[in-house]
């Protein structure tokens, strides 16, 4: 964790603030049932199915609560097996795969009504000195110069998707499909308000946020707008998701999510993204494959 957040433009309490409080204070605060068994719920105003970033974030909470000592998460790999039902609680069962001298490995199964809806492996590593290098942060307009997602969606005559509310997202470019195909997108994001200093919470929030816009590179490459004009034409679902955490960060400070889609085919699209903080540090990476079906008009 890199100190405390230096917010000077904290927004007045509103829907985004309330959504973040629910996410951090209830959704990610799992109930401990017994050893290695936890239970979580979905937001009160949930969509038709459980948001994938929520399940991945909750699974990481469950895994992290079984790790002893100062070992932050450095990677997670998950598979979305079945759609989750927001009205039903989700039980998280943790398997303690290994507790080594430097690494801790956990497996987490998310269950609803006895069926697995998500499975994840996560690895935790005690920090140690080593080789260091990274790519240069790509050029991007400052977040202060960009409209908020709420402003952008209101201009398009639409409401902000509920799962975006806990975050201030500002896309470098229109949220609507442009005249030319784009295989790369950039989004600045930060939590809608200051959160605490727990590194695990920041990692879980980044995991949640990494599932919000990552597949947009797949659809924008074909000038499709899943949150607008083509909402009823495009069906998308996360199939698998991986996140690597490279350096300490705060999710309540601005992070640039630089995303692209190298390939799509067979009804699936691959998307990858890199997170940079405002100092240009490459703090995390994410890769996701998603189901992308386009219905005929």
């Amino acid at each position: 964790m890199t100190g405390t957040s230096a917010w000077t433009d904290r927004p007045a309490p509103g829907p985004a603030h309330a959504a973040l409080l629910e996410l951090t204070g209830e959704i990610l605060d799992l109930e401990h049932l017994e050893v290695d068994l936890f239970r979580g719920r979905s937001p009160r105003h949930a969509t038709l199915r459980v948001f994938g970033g929520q399940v991945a974030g909750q699974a990481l909470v469950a895994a992290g609560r079984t790790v002893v000592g100062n070992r932050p998460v450095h990677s997670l790999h998950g598979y979305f097996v079945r759609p989750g039902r927001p009205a039903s609680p989700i039980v998280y069962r943790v398997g303690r795969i290994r507790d080594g001298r430097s690494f801790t490995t956990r497996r987490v199964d998310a269950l609803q009504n006895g069926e697995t809806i998500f499975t994840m492996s996560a690895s935790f590593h005690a920090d140690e000195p080593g080789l260091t290098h990274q790519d240069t942060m790509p050029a991007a307009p400052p977040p202060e110069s960009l409209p908020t997602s709420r402003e952008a969606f209101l201009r398009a005559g639409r409401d902000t998707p509920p799962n975006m509310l806990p975050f201030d997202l500002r896309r470098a470019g229109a949220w609507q499909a442009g005249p030319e195909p784009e295989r790369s997108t950039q989004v600045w994001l930060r939590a809608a308000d200051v959160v605490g200093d727990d590194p695990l919470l920041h990692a879980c929030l980044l995991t949640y946020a990494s599932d919000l816009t990552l597949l947009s590179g797949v659809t924008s490459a074909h000038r499709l707008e899943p949150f607008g004009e083509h909402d009823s034409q495009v069906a998308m679902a996360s199939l698998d998701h991986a996140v690597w955490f490279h350096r300490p960060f705060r999710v309540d400070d601005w992070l640039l999510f630089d995303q692209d889609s190298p390939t799509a085919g067979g009804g699936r699209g691959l998307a990858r993204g890199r997170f940079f903080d405002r100092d240009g540090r490459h703090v995390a990476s994410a890769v996701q494959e998603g189901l992308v079906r386009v219905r005929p008009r």
Side-chain angles (χ1 to χ4, degrees):
M1 192 58 54
T2 56
T4 58
S5 178
W7 269 40
T8 57
D9 57 343
R10 186 180 306 183
H17 180 81
L20 180 65
L21 283 178
E22 183 184 23
L23 179 60
T24 57
E26 300 178 44
I27 306 304
L28 294 178
D29 187 17
L30 303 182
E31 178 186 0
H32 187 195
L33 299 178
E34 56 178 89
V35 176
D36 298 340
L37 205 61
F38 303 86
R39 180 165 56 197
R41 67 166 182 85
S42 297
R44 296 181 184 88
H45 303 290
T47 53
L48 294 177
R49 62 187 181 193
V50 175
F51 172 54
Q54 171 200 319
V55 182
Q58 288 178 325
L60 183 55
V61 170
R65 287 191 180 177
T66 70
V67 176
V68 178
N70 184 22
R71 292 189 177 184
V73 61
H74 76 88
S75 69
L76 63 86
H77 302 258
Y79 285 90
F80 299 94
V81 182
R82 294 180 177 88
R85 295 174 294 278
S88 300
I90 305 173
V91 173
Y92 294 89
R93 183 177 59 206
V94 180
R96 302 186 183 225
I97 305 302
R98 184 172 186 267
D99 290 292
R101 287 184 295 178
S102 299
F103 289 87
T104 296
T105 307
R106 295 290 185 262
R107 184 188 65 247
V108 183
D109 294 322
L111 308 169
Q112 277 191 324
N113 297 327
E115 293 186 325
T116 301
I117 65 169
F118 176 76
T119 184
M120 182 190 79
S121 295
S123 182
F124 301 77
H125 177 221
D127 191 31
E128 59 183 78
L131 301 176
T132 301
H133 70 268
Q134 69 162 69
D135 287 340
T136 301
M137 178 179 174
E144 294 83 4
S145 69
L146 302 172
T148 67
S149 57
R150 177 169 175 77
E151 292 169 342
F153 278 95
L154 285 176
R155 291 175 188 174
R158 299 181 60 83
D159 291 330
T160 307
N163 53 12
M164 287 188 177
L165 285 176
F167 293 88
D168 186 350
L169 289 93
R170 306 191 183 193
R171 180 166 174 169
W175 287 93
Q176 294 73 40
E180 299 296 330
E182 296 180 351
R183 286 171 53 184
S184 62
T185 58
Q186 290 182 323
V187 176
W188 284 100
L189 65 87
R190 66 177 175 182
D193 205 343
V194 176
V195 297
D197 295 330
D198 180 6
L200 179 62
L201 176 60
H202 285 259
C204 294
L205 288 171
L206 185 139
T207 299
Y208 180 105
S210 68
D211 193 33
L212 288 172
T213 62
L214 192 49
L215 286 179
S216 63
V218 179
T219 54
S220 62
H222 299 270
R223 300 188 61 249
L224 293 172
E225 183 190 336
F227 295 119
E229 178 185 354
H230 307 102
D231 197 12
S232 61
Q233 188 183 359
V234 180
M236 296 195 302
S238 304
L239 297 176
D240 57 14
H241 197 82
V243 184
W244 294 264
F245 304 91
H246 310 305
R247 294 169 179 84
F249 62 89
R250 296 193 64 92
V251 81
D252 51 8
D253 278 340
W254 285 116
L255 297 172
L256 176 66
F257 196 16
D258 184 66
Q259 307 156 85
D260 75 333
S261 175
T263 186
R268 304 183 310 277
L270 184 69
R272 57 192 179 187
R274 301 175 297 169
F275 289 93
F276 294 86
D277 65 16
R278 296 202 72 167
D279 293 329
R281 297 164 61 250
H282 184 189
V283 299
S285 300
V287 176
Q288 181 180 84
E289 187 176 46
L291 176 70
V292 183
R293 289 175 175 157
V294 181
R295 305 183 183 96
R297 285 181 177 274

